[in-house]
Amino acid sequence: MIEVRSLHKSFRRGQPPALDGVSFQVEKKEIFGLLGHNGAGKSTTMGILLGMVYPDSGEATIGGVSVQRDREKSLRKAGAIFETPCFYDYMSGWKNLEAITSYSGGVSREDIGRVVELVGLEKRIHDRVSVYSHGMRQRLALAQALLPMPEVLLLDEPTNGLDPDGIADFRRRVLRLREEFGLTILFNSHLLSEVEQVCDRVAILRDGKKVYDGHCKGLQEDHDVYHLDTETWPKAEAVLKSLPDAEISSPGVFKLKKTADPSAVVAALVGAGVPVRQFYLREPSLEDLYMRFRKETEEET
Amino acid sequence: MHAFLSQLNWELKRLFARRRTYIGFGAFLLLDVLIVILAREPLYRLIETRLSNNGLEVEEYFSGTTLGLMLLAASCVLLGGIFAALVSGDIVAKEWEDGTLRMLMSRPVSRFRLILLKYLACQIYSAVFFTYVGVAALCSGLALRGWGSLFVFIPDFHIFAMFDPWEGLSRYLLAMVLLVFSMSTLTSLGFFFSCLKIRPAAATIVAFAYYLIDFILAHFEGLEGYRWLFLSPRMAQWIKAFVEIIPWPAMIQAYALLLGVNLTAFILGWLLFQQRDLKS
């Protein structure tokens, strides 16, 4: 449904390219994550998919139609949300939807009403956007992206700036859209945990290059990383070394196989007289993933 | 065509939904009222001197249309240029800065169409605005001095003319229409600068500065031989609606050139916008 082929893009001469040969495919009804730090090339990819950025080479297609050759036709099937939802603040949410959708040939009042209900804005849709919270703006952005109902949804860091409840709510809505309307969704994010929770597959970008493309399960390792805060690390180290499923990474940090029971580790430490101040699971970061992929690449080489 | 008109309708609705539109409209009315209140006596004495020097009756010729014309010229010189530059300088650059342009660009619409809609919307907006300025000046004049003959004395253009009330009104209305055309060039310049990758305030300042420098140089002694290079003398052709026998060929020539400038500014603005990567 979405295909990106060998995209190259440099914004300035003499600077590293924003995109360096990025390719990926998103199948119909799939939620595909594009993961990477700021400056990794996610938004540039999104810009190219929307025909706002011209690639130096390569091509992007939506529904089999090249964005570079026929932007209008390809975008008829797509809706998009950007990192910061921007509207005409002095107009109501409803009027914003009417104004924006006029560029897609207009939509009926019934359709607007239906989508407004879908995003849960029916009570505030006639208020000025200037009084909307960030979460409401994001829901309005989702509403405009769904008008007229697209086949493809492009989401560029849609949860940035949302509170945890807002993030969870947005995530639920995205999943519901796929379930109910069979939308194909491209989801840009720099948050690994978010992509893991929402997406079926993921491509990871770093400095404009794709470093991973595959199922989210492939990102998971066979072990978790734990932090241990104790006054007597040498004593704790001895206990951890004696455990078959634990492997020490650095002082206070160790890996534990997913099959192992963390409470048994705590019990062993306490049993050996180690005063445990804190013991917690560390969420894997993007940096961990980059390191892992680099290590794997080096090993393969 | 229906879709295009609907999009243009929404562009205009957006421009007219802004509070600052009405602040601008109010400011011009206030300016008229202030001029009338503060400069009532000096204006009267000025007109009286000019008329009595020529053996004319002040009560007959210092009429609503005469005062209206003075208000129109004063308010346009003082604020009109700034307003036109402000509206047109914002039209693309402000939307880009605010992020709303990206939202529109995610729609299945060509860049040409988007930029054409923006250009037409700001030209229509500007036309409505200057028509309003003309009508407000005329109404203020009529409210204070009432119906009567029109007296025009503009030394720079060698104009000294008197018109009976209806002829005076029709000349005033013609001048208003021509003024709208004249100001469309400043709007086009503002639009062009707005299409550059600059902040909206910068686009406004550059457009207005261009107009101001053009105006100063065109009136600079010693540069008379180069006046044909400047836009402001051509933009001031609306004044010639008050020449006894209107010099249509010269005016048509001037307005044809302004139309060419408008088209060039639009095409250059579009080409710049067309080749730009729209990424924040």
Side-chain angles (χ1 to χ4, degrees), chain B residues 97-116:
Chain B
E97 191 181 68
D98 289 350
T100 47
L101 195 68
R102 270 215 303 179
M103 198 76 92
L104 299 182
M105 279 296 293
S106 68
R107 299 271 146 190
V109 61
S110 69
R111 291 189 188 209
F112 175 76
R113 187 166 175 145
L114 187 67
I115 219 74
L116 178 63

Side-chain angles (χ1 to χ4, degrees), chain A residues 9 11 43-44 50-54 71-72 75-76 78 80 82-83 85-88 90-91 95 98-105 128 144-145 147-148 156, chain B residues 3 6-7 10-11 13-15 17-19 95-96 98-111 113-114 117-118 273-279:
Chain A
K9 178 69 187 175
F11 286 103
S43 293
T44 303
L50 288 167
M52 294 188 204
V53 175
Y54 298 113
R71 178 179 177 277
E72 286 157 77
L75 292 190
R76 267 181 219 138
F82 302 101
E83 190 178 344
C86 301
F87 293 98
Y88 302 100
Y90 48 88
M91 298 197 322
K95 282 207 165 24
E98 283 186 319
I100 294 165
T101 54
S102 72
Y103 279 94
S104 298
R128 281 188 180 199
Q144 67 80 28
L147 286 166
D156 190 6
Chain B
S6 160
Q7 287 154 7
W10 272 109
E11 284 290 334
K13 274 185 184 170
R14 282 209 301 269
L15 285 174
R18 293 187 302 192
R19 193 181 297 162
E95 285 228 31
W96 174 246
D98 289 350
T100 47
L101 195 68
R102 270 215 303 179
M103 198 76 92
L104 299 182
M105 279 296 293
S106 68
R107 299 271 146 190
V109 61
S110 69
R111 291 189 188 209
R113 187 166 175 145
L114 187 67
L117 284 163
K118 300 256 169 239
F273 185 73
Q274 184 69 34
Q275 54 88 39
R276 236 171 90 181
D277 281 323
L278 299 171
K279 188 174 179 291

Side-chain angles (χ1 to χ4, degrees), chain B residues 156-224:
Chain B
D156 283 356
F157 284 82
H158 312 293
I159 299 173
F160 183 91
M162 281 90 58
F163 302 99
D164 65 51
W166 286 107
E167 173 71 8
L169 181 65
S170 65
R171 293 291 183 120
Y172 183 93
L173 295 176
L174 173 66
M176 226 171 70
V177 173
L178 294 174
L179 173 70
V180 166
F181 276 114
S182 293
M183 296 316 282
S184 72
T185 298
L186 184 53
T187 306
S188 297
L189 286 175
F191 169 84
F192 164 72
F193 290 118
S194 190
C195 291
L196 298 174
K197 211 173 174 180
I198 55 176
R199 288 188 174 277
T204 299
I205 290 166
V206 173
F208 189 67
Y210 183 94
Y211 172 67
L212 209 60
I213 290 167
D214 185 282
F215 182 83
I216 292 166
L217 290 178
H219 289 81
F220 205 75
E221 276 184 43
L223 289 177
E224 290 87 352

